[in-house]
Amino acid sequence: MKSANRLLRTLKVIPLILLGGCSALQVVNSVSKIYTAEVKENIVFGTHPKLKYDLYLPDTANQEFDTTPVIVFFYGGSWNRGDKSEYEFVGRRLASMGYITAVPNYRLYPEVKYPDFLEDGAQSIANLRTELAKSEYQQYKPATQYILMGHSAGAYNAAMLALDPRWLTTVGVDHTASVKGLIGLAGAYNIYPIKDTDVQPVFNHPDYPPQSQPIDYTKRANAPTLLLAPETDTLVSIERNTETLHKALDAAGNDSTTQTIEGTDHVTLIGTLSPLLFFKGSTAKPIEEFIRKLHSTTIPETASSNGS
């Protein structure tokens, strides 16, 4: 779940020494500019100074579907660290694939604990619905049902918002009218008891809050789900998290797909969206196939800007 820090170390396989004083993430994001996108930075959605999101827009409206798919991507970092600016490579890659992509910040421990970051995520979605209803975006015909996506701890955030309707309902957003699907990468869906000392205080270890894991909401889920897992993961157990959530969703009759991405670990799984890790297996391909399936299926869209 310590995504950004471990990505720095992982990318040492690339001869960064030739690139001067740039950090690995600076290099990743710099190279990602080969993926063209219009970027609107620091759209405010709350009073806290961290509560902003960046919006990545494709060059043109998606021509394959009646509406342009919208993705909200939540980054990982054990709920202790991370910033939207570190994930420009994700926003640009998804926008280049034809999807409107928002990358929001959320407040972190020790300033906040569960469930504050979920409330932040819900608020970012509420604000995005209002933002995309503006006339300046109508050329894209943005979808009004969003695909929630995340990596590691961010996949937990995305899954909770997609599977548990109370968070969006609290901010006045109709859950069913607003969530089209869930994409989780190396997600933390079933982490109790928590062994990671960085994460323990986030969930008040050992007095864990009840009904606070995505695995608790599989029976009431209404969002088709794609769960991507690395080939190996020493940080977040694939069996305990990805496989367990997939089996529970599937047993309850939900549309759930899981796939292992060859040659990846916990960090390089999200790193494959960068052009620097072209030699790894592709996460872009299953994401594209999943979104094509979602948007090729007739699901009523609402014209409301706030889902209510």
Side-chain angles (χ1 to χ4, degrees), residues 30-303:
S30 178
V31 174
S32 76
K33 287 180 171 56
I34 67 170
Y35 300 124
T36 59
E38 179 182 354
V39 185
K40 294 183 178 292
E41 296 182 331
N42 297 319
I43 299 174
V44 176
F45 68 89
T47 58
H48 189 281
K50 191 172 179 68
L51 297 185
K52 301 173 184 178
Y53 60 88
D54 293 339
L55 189 60
Y56 297 83
L57 302 167
D59 287 341
T60 59
N62 192 299
Q63 301 300 312
E64 185 176 358
F65 312 113
D66 293 336
T67 58
T68 297
V70 178
I71 298 175
V72 183
F73 173 79
F74 297 95
Y75 54 78
S78 300
W79 302 278
N80 285 267
R81 61 189 69 82
D83 189 84
K84 61 184 177 58
S85 64
E86 297 169 345
Y87 293 87
E88 179 183 356
F89 72 96
V90 175
R92 283 189 173 275
R93 180 64 182 275
L94 295 174
S96 76
M97 293 165 65
Y99 316 134
I100 296 171
T101 305
V103 183
N105 273 334
Y106 51 93
R107 291 171 295 165
L108 303 169
Y109 181 83
E111 186 171 1
V112 301
K113 296 182 178 182
Y114 168 91
D116 295 336
F117 39 81
L118 296 179
E119 295 171 356
D120 293 346
Q123 190 61 50
S124 72
I125 292 169
N127 182 279
L128 180 63
R129 289 179 65 78
T130 300
E131 178 73 15
L132 292 181
K134 295 178 179 178
S135 59
E136 63 186 285
Y137 302 104
Q138 292 317 295
Q139 60 178 307
Y140 298 100
K141 297 185 291 185
T144 55
Q145 289 177 308
Y146 300 165
I147 298 163
L148 307 187
M149 175 178 169
H151 172 243
S152 193
Y156 166 93
N157 292 4
M160 287 295 287
L161 293 167
L163 303 179
D164 179 4
R166 59 182 160 153
W167 307 109
L168 289 176
T169 299
T170 298
V171 296
V173 173
D174 184 289
H175 179 269
T176 302
S178 302
V179 179
K180 195 174 189 73
L182 166 65
I183 302 174
L185 290 82
Y189 313 119
N190 182 34
I191 62 174
Y192 298 155
I194 299 171
K195 296 181 180 179
D196 189 327
T197 55
D198 286 343
V199 176
Q200 286 178 346
V202 177
F203 292 91
N204 202 35
H205 172 85
D207 300 318
Y208 303 122
Q211 301 296 298
S212 55
Q213 295 292 294
I215 195 67
D216 298 325
Y217 297 95
T218 55
K219 291 184 179 179
R220 69 176 73 176
N222 60 2
T225 299
L226 171 66
L227 302 176
L228 299 179
E231 194 167 41
T232 61
D233 197 330
T234 60
L235 294 174
V236 178
S237 168
I238 298 169
E239 180 179 6
R240 182 175 168 185
N241 291 274
T242 299
E243 293 180 4
T244 297
L245 182 62
H246 167 66
K247 290 176 182 177
L249 287 167
D250 187 63
N254 295 293
D255 181 359
S256 176
T257 302
T258 185
Q259 185 170 332
T260 299
I261 305 304
E262 183 179 359
T264 61
D265 60 22
H266 185 81
V267 177
T268 55
L269 183 67
I270 188 65
T272 59
L273 290 175
S274 160
L276 290 179
L277 294 186
F278 64 90
F279 51 88
K280 298 287 186 181
S282 172
T283 54
K285 183 177 179 180
I287 288 170
E288 184 176 46
E289 291 173 348
F290 178 71
I291 293 175
R292 180 174 290 118
K293 177 182 176 182
L294 283 182
H295 278 266
S296 297
T297 302
T298 303
I299 300 175
E301 298 260 359
T302 174

